Amino acid sequence: SALVKVRDLGARPGHLVADGIPEPVAVAGGLIYDSDNLRDVYMVVDVGAGTTDFGVFVATRKTIDDDFVMHQLSSSINGVMQAGDKVDDLLIAYIGTQEGINFDSPHGIEIKRNLSQTIREQKEILFRDGRWKFALSDGTVGVVTKEALLTSPQMCRFAALMQTTFADSLDRLNDSWLSFLSSPGMRLKVVVTGGGASLDMMQALATGVVDVRGFRIARELVVS
């Protein structure tokens, strides 16, 4: 009933909000996962347009028939000011390098302006189909493959930053949590959500093993 009233106001009642909450906290609050465990640990990665936010949460219940209660490990809340928009910029820069375009010149500025208007949609095509045949405003045509883009130095640095920030969030936890996460048969459940969640480097955050202060933690993707 309160939400209905707020929607009918026409403007957000910001004066009623005492404190905001980080993006991963909001995502975790709505997370539902079918599990047979009494305790599960999640890393939530929320990939927005301008920021990627990370946070660790613990879901606990006393018996198998109880509902889970979600607890935030506040020390793990972390974020980086790079996300989907950064990939857009890297794709534009990659095309500029491939075609020898100087984006600081009047000619290049016009090409970049037109390219920026559709780059998000074209990026989705590229990551979905594995290749994108582009046509620039000056008539230049070319092809970008996902494999070539992902192996470019700039994109490799971006992917490495995501992995590093993921590990940094875990590094903020005390040894008891890291020991629990690295115990035999344990998996850190990773939820990747947001507009850029389907990008390869974001999905890679939910696979393999991450080493944090000597604790080897296996990761498992959970679909949000």
Side-chain angles (χ1 to χ4, degrees), residues 37-77:
N37 301 325
L38 297 180
R39 174 187 288 178
D40 285 310
V41 183
Y42 296 86
M43 170 71 84
V44 177
V45 183
D46 185 62
V47 187
T51 63
T52 304
D53 298 288
F54 300 76
V56 178
F57 300 82
V58 183
T60 62
R61 57 184 174 179
K62 293 181 179 179
T63 72
I64 201 69
D65 295 321
D66 293 335
D67 291 330
F68 278 112
V69 177
M70 191 74 75
H71 303 279
Q72 164 192 341
L73 300 184
S74 57
S75 62
S76 70
I77 302 299

Side-chain angles (χ1 to χ4, degrees), residues 14-224:
H15 60 284
L16 299 179
V17 180
D19 295 292
I21 60 174
E23 288 288 342
V25 178
V27 172
L31 179 65
I32 299 175
Y33 181 65
D34 184 15
S35 173
D36 295 327
N37 301 325
L38 297 180
R39 174 187 288 178
D40 285 310
V41 183
Y42 296 86
M43 170 71 84
V44 177
V45 183
D46 185 62
V47 187
T51 63
T52 304
D53 298 288
F54 300 76
V56 178
F57 300 82
V58 183
T60 62
R61 57 184 174 179
K62 293 181 179 179
T63 72
I64 201 69
D65 295 321
D66 293 335
D67 291 330
F68 278 112
V69 177
M70 191 74 75
H71 303 279
Q72 164 192 341
L73 300 184
S74 57
S75 62
S76 70
I77 302 299
N78 195 12
V80 60
M81 299 295 291
Q82 293 188 27
D85 286 352
K86 179 64 175 180
V87 179
D88 296 351
D89 294 340
L90 291 175
L91 177 54
I92 291 173
Y94 180 85
I95 292 173
T97 300
Q98 179 174 295
E99 300 300 326
I101 301 170
N102 177 10
F103 284 135
D104 292 327
S105 68
H107 174 71
I109 290 172
E110 179 64 18
I111 292 175
K112 185 176 182 179
R113 185 183 66 82
N114 282 277
L115 187 56
S116 298
Q117 293 175 355
T118 60
I119 195 64
R120 182 165 298 178
E121 293 80 7
Q122 303 305 330
K123 175 189 66 180
E124 293 174 358
I125 293 173
L126 172 62
F127 277 84
R128 183 193 67 208
D129 299 342
R131 58 187 282 117
W132 166 42
K133 184 176 181 180
F134 60 84
L136 304 181
S137 59
D138 67 346
T140 300
V141 296
V143 175
V144 177
T145 66
K146 182 171 74 171
E147 181 181 2
L149 178 67
L150 291 178
T151 55
S152 66
Q154 298 89 341
M155 196 64 76
C156 287
R157 285 195 293 270
F158 175 73
L161 174 62
M162 294 298 108
Q163 292 285 354
T164 297
T165 309
F166 187 104
D168 285 347
S169 290
L170 292 173
D171 191 45
R172 299 179 179 201
L173 302 179
N174 60 43
D175 283 358
S176 62
W177 278 116
L178 296 179
S179 178
F180 173 70
L181 286 170
S182 62
S183 58
M186 184 63 191
R187 294 288 187 273
L188 172 62
K189 293 175 169 57
V190 182
V191 180
V192 187
T193 187
S198 63
L199 296 173
D200 292 53
M201 70 287 297
M202 301 305 181
Q203 290 292 303
L205 297 173
T207 61
V209 174
V210 56
D211 192 302
V212 182
R213 299 203 305 271
F215 295 96
R216 292 178 56 78
I217 299 170
R219 298 178 283 190
E220 173 187 322
L221 177 65
V222 175
V223 179
S224 60

